[in-house]
Amino acid sequence: MWSLWREDTAGHESHVWARLDEEGRTAWLDAARLRAAWHYPLPATGSDEFIVEGAHVTDTAALYCALGEAMNGPGGYYGADLDALKDCLRGNFGPVAPFTLIWHNSRSGSDDALDLNQVGTPALRTRPTPWRRWDGC
């Protein structure tokens, strides 16, 4: 991951993590966490609305990669599991709840889509609407 980020464009390109397999996306999350901790605390974005690109969300690691990118830009981190997500929602890793998450391009009709209802938190459960409202934990 670090070698990708050393390249001029890799740090600014969206969805680089989507090209990786699940193990690679998990490594991406670890590297993004360390990178975010090094830049601690992240500056406030000034926004209360964030767009998650769901087209590449096929597993739990991809969910957190997409969420990190939505909240903090390419290579961004915003949790890698539910405990880490809870920490992020409370501050120091980007935006603090409450905020609005808008989910674009849900793959819920796809056979290989991640079932967000299995993630384990009501805040991430899907609804049959084109948007998601997240008011925190």
Side-chain angles (χ1 to χ4, degrees):
M1 300 320 110
W2 297 111
S3 62
L4 285 173
W5 287 334
R6 276 194 294 265
E7 297 173 13
D8 289 339
T9 59
H12 304 288
E13 186 180 346
S14 298
H15 315 301
V16 172
W17 53 267
R19 300 178 205 150
L20 306 172
D21 61 12
E22 186 173 3
E23 184 177 344
R25 287 188 291 274
T26 300
W28 179 274
L29 288 169
D30 287 340
R33 178 183 53 80
L34 292 171
R35 183 178 179 206
W38 184 63
H39 292 290
Y40 174 89
L42 291 175
T45 62
S47 177
D48 65 348
E49 186 173 286
F50 302 92
I51 297 173
V52 176
E53 179 54 55
H56 304 291
V57 177
T58 57
D59 55 44
T60 302
L63 168 66
Y64 287 107
C65 288
L67 186 59
E69 190 165 282
M71 304 306 280
N72 291 309
Y77 175 80
Y78 207 76
D81 58 36
L82 293 176
D83 289 333
L85 176 60
K86 186 176 179 181
D87 290 343
C88 290
L89 288 166
R90 292 184 176 161
N92 297 328
F93 281 95
V96 178
F99 49 76
T100 302
L101 273 181
I102 300 171
W103 188 278
H104 282 185
N105 299 315
S106 172
R107 298 181 64 186
S108 62
S110 172
D111 290 340
D112 61 349
L114 172 67
D115 182 359
L116 294 180
N117 292 315
Q118 301 300 314
V119 172
T121 177
L124 292 177
R125 293 206 173 138
T126 59
R127 290 183 283 180
T129 57
W131 59 273
R132 309 286 181 262
R133 174 81 181 171
W134 187 326
D135 291 320
C137 286

